[in-house]
Amino acid sequence: MSAPDAPATTALRALRGTPIWAVLTIAVGALLMATSATAVVGGKLLIDRYTSRIQQQDLLAGAAKVPQEPDGEALNGPITMLLLGVDERGSRPGEMRSDTIIILHVPATHDQAYLVSVPRDTWVEAPAFEPSGYPGGESKITDVFRAGSRNGVGRAGGAPLVALTLKDLTGIEFDGAAIIDFGGFRNVIDALGGVRMCVDQRVKSQHMRLVDGEPSWLAEAREVGGGEELWHEEGCKRMAGWEALDYSRQRYGLPNGDYDRQRHQRQLLKAMVQEASSTGVLTNPAKIDRVITAAGKAFVLDTGGVPIADFVFTLRGITANDLIMVKTNGGGFNPAGFSSTAAERLTPESLEMFDAVRTGTLDDYLLANPDAVQRD
């Protein structure tokens, strides 16, 4: 693969600030934009170069906002995107769940970005969905993706049904959406050269084991005798893709279960943005090329008909330090009251918070409710 062309390379060298690759490294797949006029030209060249590598698909159906008309290439108003994490490895058609659901919200000022997790065990009422033959009904939101993807519909049904369910629950309509495959996510982290993560509590992996000292998926380890338990030990270090992803997916054995997992996943996303915007990446065109190529294979994207370049241009000033992680249900499990399943409900406070996302007033909500901001 050839290196980026000369104008793009010149633009990379001209960077004066830390750009945001992802609020769209995460959602769009590592598209570079910069803060100076010269860098904007180079950034557009990179966008044109790599956009064709990103899979694009209609993921929102009736939960999409009316596409915006750019005003001089910048979008107006708040921007809200739905991010869904799935594990396609070994999944049978129609059996895939969305174990990670994050709403990415950018206020109208376009100077910050909020990551709000939707707990996987949230009890919801999903609407009927004709493409998959789903009649509608109540379930955990993690199972809604599966209901929409049945009968061969796949991602094109799973994501829209999750989006429609969230729209019914919160009133939120989305400017865009992305499906992130965990296996591809691992490759993006490796292309970055790993990320720095801090383990705040020792936890055993439920997905991997050590076989002859090397990490292996649990099912594969069982085929050769089971292997040894794999533990994530306390402390900060640079993690390879498999390790960072595995740690961020653990929930059993943690005091707050899925809420600790949500927090660790948001930390991983922020660590990726920090790494992607580091000098070691931005000054290395070959590494940028590897990261964007890996990201293009890891994401399926829907921008609601708006050119990707317009999203990137609009969000060019947001840095890793502008990513704010927001807690749902106060960071603790809110039981739904069922004796047969570990389901939960959104609290009135969380519903108010999601309504603030809908109305573009999340800044005001968080000023009045500072405890909703994740501090660590």
Side-chain angles (χ1 to χ4, degrees), residues 155-226:
R155 297 168 170 173
L161 187 54
V162 173
L164 288 167
T165 301
L166 286 173
K167 178 183 175 181
D168 287 349
L169 179 65
T170 66
I172 295 173
E173 293 181 318
F174 299 96
D175 297 280
I179 295 177
I180 305 165
D181 174 49
F182 288 130
F185 213 47
R186 168 180 172 174
N187 294 335
V188 175
I189 297 171
D190 286 337
L192 285 169
V195 292
R196 180 173 173 79
M197 292 283 289
C198 294
V199 177
D200 50 25
Q201 178 175 310
R202 186 174 188 257
V203 62
K204 184 176 74 172
S205 174
Q206 303 295 320
H207 307 107
M208 306 189 78
R209 294 178 70 89
L210 293 174
V211 176
D212 297 328
E214 297 295 326
S216 176
W217 292 109
L218 184 59
E220 297 166 357
R222 286 171 176 163
E223 292 178 358
V224 293

Side-chain angles (χ1 to χ4, degrees), residues 8-156:
T9 303
T10 300
L12 292 173
R13 291 172 179 166
L15 293 175
R16 297 185 304 195
T18 302
I20 181 151
W21 260 46
V23 167
L24 290 179
T25 293
I26 301 163
V28 180
L31 296 174
L32 182 64
M33 182 52 66
T35 55
S36 69
T38 301
V40 167
V41 174
K44 288 180 180 177
L45 291 173
L46 284 176
I47 292 169
D48 290 340
R49 177 183 178 88
Y50 291 112
T51 295
S52 62
R53 302 183 186 181
I54 299 173
Q55 304 173 66
Q56 298 191 53
Q57 190 173 8
D58 181 4
L59 301 176
L60 290 172
K65 286 182 186 176
V66 176
Q68 295 192 40
E69 291 294 333
D71 179 13
E73 297 180 304
L75 302 180
N76 298 313
I79 297 170
T80 304
M81 298 185 71
L82 176 63
L83 311 183
L84 301 173
V86 301
D87 187 0
E88 296 188 338
R89 182 188 54 84
S91 296
R92 294 178 294 177
E95 292 299 319
M96 196 185 309
R97 293 178 172 86
S98 52
D99 278 340
T100 300
I101 303 172
I102 294 176
I103 293 176
L104 168 69
H105 179 73
V106 178
T109 51
H110 300 161
D111 56 358
Q112 288 184 317
Y114 299 100
L115 295 173
V116 186
S117 293
V118 179
R120 69 184 298 279
D121 293 327
T122 301
W123 194 253
V124 295
E125 183 171 354
F129 193 67
E130 184 177 352
S132 69
Y134 178 62
E138 294 185 327
S139 71
K140 295 179 180 180
I141 197 166
T142 186
D143 292 319
V144 171
F145 190 100
R146 179 175 62 174
S149 66
R150 289 175 177 165
N151 296 323
V153 181
R155 297 168 170 173

Side-chain angles (χ1 to χ4, degrees), residues 1-4 49-50 53 285-286 288-294 297:
M1 182 179 299
S2 62
R49 177 183 178 88
Y50 291 112
R53 302 183 186 181
I288 289 173
D289 199 79
R290 289 194 298 272
V291 171
I292 297 177
T293 298
K297 297 176 180 178

Side-chain angles (χ1 to χ4, degrees), residues 338-362:
F338 305 136
S339 59
S340 59
T341 182
E344 63 177 311
R345 303 275 191 188
L346 294 180
T347 63
E349 293 79 11
S350 289
L351 288 172
E352 183 183 352
M353 180 177 69
F354 282 111
D355 191 61
V357 172
R358 180 186 66 82
T359 58
T361 58
L362 185 58

